[in-house]
């Protein structure tokens, strides 16, 4: 894991790019149509390329790491699911709003923020394991996530899980990498170099999109929703620390455990905006506020993530 000063400088660079994204959107260099196109480029090209490029840097991994990553990811979501139920009770959230707040308590930004953070904190050797975690995340997002977001919508009918949502370039790239790794197959050099070139676009483009999204909400009122602020703080500080101590108590260590802790401390998922737009427009403003607030908080919670991962590594 990188030392703290190096990690902080890399995160600051991401934030500078995010600010640039906000500025160029406000200057009308970008518009909603362009941002939508960049988002599609990320989801369909650069993130899958990042995953494929991670295969060539997986030499330090063994096959048991993949099983550990799968198990720890499932365990981490059971952990946060239980904690989310406690949060709902403590914050006295009205019944019709509970599914939304449970959604943002559970799902973090693994795609736009998670992959860049893995590259910064652990390096490209962690991308394959991150892809495995993302497969589990996607299964839950397109089942439990959609169910929660669609509760108490205009139709009053929770949306059903659609398998076709799982078939996308990101999950295809992840599954392909897992298969290739299991059978010790490497991609041809020219394919890997192309994937690495495209993958380098992921971090800057993702932060430009996040920055542009800041302009979609009124920042003057964004911090008035105390429930979102409290959930963001809990999610990005208490979650990773508590989970790290639990994993150390259970005897887990190594890269899979560190990644599981890292992902637990990610900001609220940008997919909350996408799923709210699709399944429950009543949650759209809150979803945008939650995404922006938690992403802005990341710069303050980086020391907590470093501490949590040091618990796993045995440094504390």
């Amino acid at each position: 894991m990188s030392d703290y000063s190096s990690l902080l400088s890399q995160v600051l660079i991401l934030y500078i790019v995010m600010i640039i994204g906000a500025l160029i959107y406000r200057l009308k260099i970008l518009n909603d149509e362009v941002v939508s196109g960049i988002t599609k480029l990320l989801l369909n090209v650069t993130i899958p390329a990042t995953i494929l490029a991670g295969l060539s840097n997986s030499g330090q991994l063994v096959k048991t790491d993949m099983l550990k990553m799968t198990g720890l990811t499932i365990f981490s979501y059971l952990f946060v699911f239980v904690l989310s139920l406690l949060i709902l009770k403590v914050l006295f959230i009205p019944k019709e709003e509970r599914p939304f707040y449970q959604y943002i308590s559970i799902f973090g930004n693994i795609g736009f923020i998670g992959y860049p953070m893995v590259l910064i904190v652990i390096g490209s050797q962690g991308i394959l394991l991150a892809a495995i975690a993302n497969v589990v995340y996607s299964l839950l997002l397109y089942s439990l996530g959609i169910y929660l977001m669609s509760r108490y919508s205009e139709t009053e009918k929770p949306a059903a899980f659609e398998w076709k949502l799982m078939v996308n370039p990101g999950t295809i790239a992840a599954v392909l990498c897992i298969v290739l790794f299991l059978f010790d197959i490497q991609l041809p050099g020219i394919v890997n170099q192309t994937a690495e070139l495209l993958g380098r676009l992921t971090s800057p483009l993702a932060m430009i999109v996040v920055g542009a999204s800041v302009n979609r909400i009124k920042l003057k009122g964004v911090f008035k929703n105390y429930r979102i602020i409290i959930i963001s703080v809990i999610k990005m500080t208490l979650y990773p620390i508590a989970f790290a101590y639990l994993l150390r108590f259970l005897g887990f260590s190594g890269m899979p455990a560190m990644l599981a802790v890292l992902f637990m401390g990610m900001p609220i998922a940008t997919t909350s905006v996408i799923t709210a737009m699709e399944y429950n427009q009543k949650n759209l403003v809150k979803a945008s506020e939650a995404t922006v607030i938690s992403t802005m908080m990341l710069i303050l919670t980086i020391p907590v993530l470093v501490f949590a991962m040091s618990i796993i590594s045995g440094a504390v």
Side-chain angles (χ1 to χ4, degrees), residues 207-250:
M207 297 314 295
I208 285 174
V209 168
V210 172
S213 70
V214 171
N215 293 278
R216 297 178 182 177
I217 65 173
K218 296 178 181 179
L219 287 178
K220 289 182 179 179
V222 75
F223 290 101
K224 291 182 179 179
N225 191 328
Y226 72 91
R227 290 191 177 102
I228 287 177
I229 295 174
I230 292 173
I231 288 174
S232 297
V233 171
I234 292 173
K235 177 177 175 53
M236 300 171 69
T237 58
L238 297 183
Y239 274 17
I241 290 176
F243 194 60
Y245 275 118
L246 177 60
L247 291 185
R248 191 167 81 169
F249 174 76
L250 295 173

Side-chain angles (χ1 to χ4, degrees), residues 18-203:
M18 184 178 77
I19 293 169
I20 291 171
L23 288 174
I24 61 178
Y25 183 93
R26 190 165 288 274
L27 293 171
K28 301 188 185 303
I29 296 173
L30 294 180
N31 55 35
D32 288 339
E33 186 177 354
V34 175
V35 172
S36 176
I38 295 174
T39 302
K40 291 177 181 176
L41 179 66
L42 281 161
L43 295 174
N44 296 306
V45 179
T46 71
I47 289 177
T50 301
I51 295 170
L52 289 174
L55 182 66
S56 64
N57 297 296
S58 60
Q60 297 179 23
L61 302 178
V62 294
K63 293 179 175 61
T64 54
D65 287 330
M66 301 179 70
L67 292 174
K68 288 179 183 177
M69 191 74 248
T70 303
L72 286 173
T73 303
I74 294 171
F75 182 45
S76 71
Y77 283 110
L78 288 172
F79 181 79
V80 296
F81 181 81
V82 172
L83 289 183
S84 70
L85 294 175
L86 294 175
I87 290 172
L88 296 178
K89 291 184 178 296
V90 171
L91 294 181
F92 300 104
I93 296 173
K95 181 179 178 182
E96 64 277 7
E97 294 186 37
R98 288 175 190 171
F100 168 78
Y101 285 102
Q102 189 171 19
Y103 180 108
I104 65 172
S105 297
I106 294 172
F107 295 102
N109 194 337
I110 289 183
F112 285 2
I113 304 293
Y115 281 116
M117 286 297 293
V118 171
L119 291 171
I120 291 171
V121 178
I122 295 176
S124 57
Q125 66 269 24
I127 290 296
L128 180 59
L129 292 181
I132 295 170
N134 195 46
V135 172
V136 178
Y137 170 88
S138 297
L139 280 168
L140 286 171
L141 179 68
Y142 293 121
S143 53
L144 176 64
I146 289 177
Y147 171 78
L148 291 173
M149 188 62 77
S150 62
R151 293 290 307 277
Y152 302 106
S153 65
E154 292 83 353
T155 63
E156 298 295 333
K157 183 180 179 181
F161 174 70
E162 297 181 45
W163 279 103
K164 65 181 180 181
L165 294 173
M166 280 294 299
V167 183
N168 59 69
T171 53
I172 291 171
V175 172
L176 177 61
C177 275
I178 292 168
V179 172
L180 292 176
F181 179 78
L182 288 173
F183 289 94
D184 297 315
I185 301 172
Q186 286 291 331
L187 292 170
I190 192 168
V191 174
N192 184 64
Q193 290 174 31
T194 303
E196 287 182 349
L197 180 63
L198 289 171
R200 292 190 196 109
L201 297 173
T202 297
S203 294

